[in-house]
Amino acid sequence: MAIDHVGAGRTGRRDAILRAAADLFAARGFHGVSIEELGRAVGTSGPALYRHFPGKEALLAAMLLDISERLAADGAAHVAAAHSPEDALDRLLRGHIAFALGEPALITVHDRELGNVPEPQRRRVRRLQRGYVEQWVDVLARLRPGVSAEELRAAVHATFGLLNSTPHSAGRLPSGRMADLLLAMGRAALLASARPGG
Amino acid sequence: MAIDHVGAGRTGRRDAILRAAADLFAARGFHGVSIEELGRAVGTSGPALYRHFPGKEALLAAMLLDISERLAADGAAHVAAAHSPEDALDRLLRGHIAFALGEPALITVHDRELGNVPEPQRRRVRRLQRGYVEQWVDVLARLRPGVSAEELRAAVHATFGLLNSTPHSAGRLPSGRMADLLLAMGRAALLASARPGG
DNA sequence: GCGAGATGTTAATGACCGCTAACATGGTCG
DNA sequence: CGACCATGTTAGCGGTCATTAACATCTCGC
């Protein structure tokens, strides 16, 4: 009974709000969800939320910052643990796939709602996102020298689109098979993209 | 001077509204755009919109129906024109890429805002989308017999995620190179996914 | 030249929303 | 015990939104 997983425990309210908000934002968009609704989703009503966040936009900012930081940190750890570029790419792919399959709502919000984050923190999220992309680009550049960085960046973005599409086809395939499928597709797409003269 | 491309011509108002709405919805989401704003974007103000659509949701419904119909019809034409499964897949890929690169706002709205379409028409959009996916699945099934339809469907959805990611990395690469890149990546991803035992 | 329909305008209405205010409660610690 | 702090509650305020009402203005077929 250490942690209350429906989110109504005496502590952890803040995290419960973030989790519920991720699901709601992913389903109906930032502007499609009201404060009252967010409160009800965690068993309180409406304005209790302001005891944990200064406002609705700040809540979104906290959510996106957390996601971006986790992705960037995990990415750095994966690259550091690898002993070859091939291995690094594999670890990056597996890590991202695990995240996308484990937290489809977070992934969805992450690439849809940046525009609603207010400006001071928006810049930080962008910087983290750029850093994460650059980790992929660096690994890919070592695997396929001679391909322009712009082309590699575009390929990485496209691969993220592939991996993040998980929420749209959720539940159709068992999670393990889906992970294998995405790994095979992602790897093939990245290597095809990076083949000079492709 | 046959057609007014900024959308203020004496006729074609309806289409101009749809075009402007696509850009705005793609940028800030359905609930993030007001009627007043939609009107201003086509040179009228606010409620003039109700002379062309019964309401905001109906406008979105018309937009998504049009996109889904175009995709499904173009897909059928491409498959019909092909003389082999390989050729059909190539035409499907090129057609979808051309659409995604040519109408990034439409593609974005198409896979984000279905949840805001009211129920009678939502079903029709879903049916059209399913039909389009099934065209891809059928072609792919002929190329790689023995792979389950569920797996092929998941692969097709993931490929759409790849191709539709265009708006997120827009303008970084010249359009022609981007099209080549997406074609190579999409084809590689689909074939990797369909390899039995992959 | 004139009724009619299509298309626009501004003003108003009712609902909802984000947020604040004012107040309650319950546990912690001096 | 009793002040304090964290965390709730309900009521209300100001603003915005989608939609409607009421009224103008063009364009045409007659």
Side-chain angles (χ1 to χ4, degrees):
Chain A
M1 306 274 188
I3 285 183
D4 189 323
H5 69 89
V6 293
R10 64 199 177 296
T11 184
R13 216 0 96 70
R14 192 189 137 102
D15 288 1
I17 294 173
L18 284 171
R19 224 177 356 252
D23 289 341
L24 289 169
F25 289 165
R28 302 210 303 284
F30 180 73
H31 293 293
V33 181
S34 73
I35 296 280
E36 177 64 31
E37 218 166 349
L38 288 174
R40 208 177 318 128
V42 295
T44 77
S45 213
L49 188 143
Y50 291 89
R51 300 296 175 192
H52 304 276
F53 300 93
K56 200 189 180 190
E57 287 187 337
L59 186 159
L60 180 67
M63 191 163 91
L64 289 202
L65 265 173
D66 180 58
I67 306 170
S68 307
E69 277 163 3
R70 278 172 59 184
L71 281 174
D74 290 1
H78 286 132
V79 170
H83 47 67
S84 76
E86 290 86 355
D87 187 35
L89 194 65
D90 242 62
R91 288 170 190 258
L92 284 175
L93 278 164
R94 285 181 208 274
H96 193 106
I97 290 167
F99 189 90
L101 289 177
E103 309 267 23
L106 289 186
I107 277 288
T108 298
V109 173
H110 180 251
D111 70 8
R112 287 188 189 180
E113 303 291 2
L114 180 61
N116 292 118
V117 175
E119 208 11 295
Q121 298 148 306
R122 173 130 118 232
R123 198 171 298 273
R124 288 193 52 201
V125 173
R126 252 203 243 281
R127 230 161 45 92
L128 288 164
Q129 288 181 346
R130 228 188 329 262
Y132 183 55
V133 170
E134 233 43 42
Q135 289 174 357
W136 287 67
V137 169
D138 289 349
V139 168
L140 212 51
R142 226 163 295 148
L143 277 174
R144 291 288 184 265
V147 180
S148 83
E150 281 309 315
E151 192 132 349
L152 294 181
R153 254 186 285 274
V156 168
H157 274 117
T159 303
F160 287 170
L162 189 158
L163 301 181
N164 295 349
S165 72
T166 294
H168 304 297
S169 49
R172 315 276 302 177
L173 230 53
S175 174
R177 280 179 74 84
M178 183 63 110
D180 290 347
L181 179 64
L182 290 176
L183 178 63
M185 293 181 74
R187 188 159 37 195
L190 279 175
L191 296 184
S193 82
R195 204 174 310 279
Chain B
M1 316 259 185
I3 285 183
D4 190 323
H5 67 89
V6 293
R10 64 199 178 295
T11 184
R13 213 5 93 71
R14 193 189 137 101
D15 287 2
I17 294 173
L18 284 172
R19 227 179 351 256
D23 289 341
L24 289 168
F25 289 165
R28 301 211 302 284
F30 180 73
H31 293 292
V33 181
S34 73
I35 296 280
E36 176 65 31
E37 218 166 349
L38 287 174
R40 208 178 317 130
V42 296
T44 78
S45 214
L49 188 142
Y50 290 87
R51 300 297 175 191
H52 304 277
F53 300 94
K56 199 189 179 188
E57 286 187 337
L59 186 159
L60 179 67
M63 190 162 92
L64 289 203
L65 265 173
D66 180 58
I67 306 171
S68 307
E69 277 164 4
R70 277 172 61 185
L71 281 174
D74 290 1
H78 286 131
V79 171
H83 47 67
S84 76
E86 290 86 355
D87 187 36
L89 194 65
D90 241 63
R91 287 171 190 258
L92 284 175
L93 278 164
R94 286 181 207 276
H96 193 105
I97 290 166
F99 189 89
L101 288 177
E103 309 267 24
L106 290 186
I107 278 286
T108 298
V109 174
H110 180 252
D111 71 8
R112 288 189 187 180
E113 304 291 2
L114 180 62
N116 292 118
V117 175
E119 209 11 295
Q121 298 147 307
R122 172 130 119 234
R123 197 169 299 273
R124 288 193 53 204
V125 173
R126 252 203 243 279
R127 231 160 45 91
L128 288 164
Q129 289 181 348
R130 230 189 327 265
Y132 183 54
V133 171
E134 233 43 43
Q135 290 173 358
W136 287 67
V137 169
D138 289 350
V139 167
L140 211 51
R142 227 164 294 147
L143 278 174
R144 292 287 183 267
V147 180
S148 84
E150 281 309 317
E151 191 133 349
L152 293 180
R153 254 186 284 274
V156 169
H157 273 118
T159 303
F160 287 170
L162 189 159
L163 302 180
N164 295 349
S165 72
T166 294
H168 305 298
S169 49
R172 314 277 303 178
L173 230 54
S175 174
R177 281 178 74 84
M178 183 64 109
D180 291 347
L181 179 64
L182 291 176
L183 180 62
M185 292 181 75
R187 188 159 36 198
L190 280 175
L191 296 184
S193 81
R195 203 175 309 281

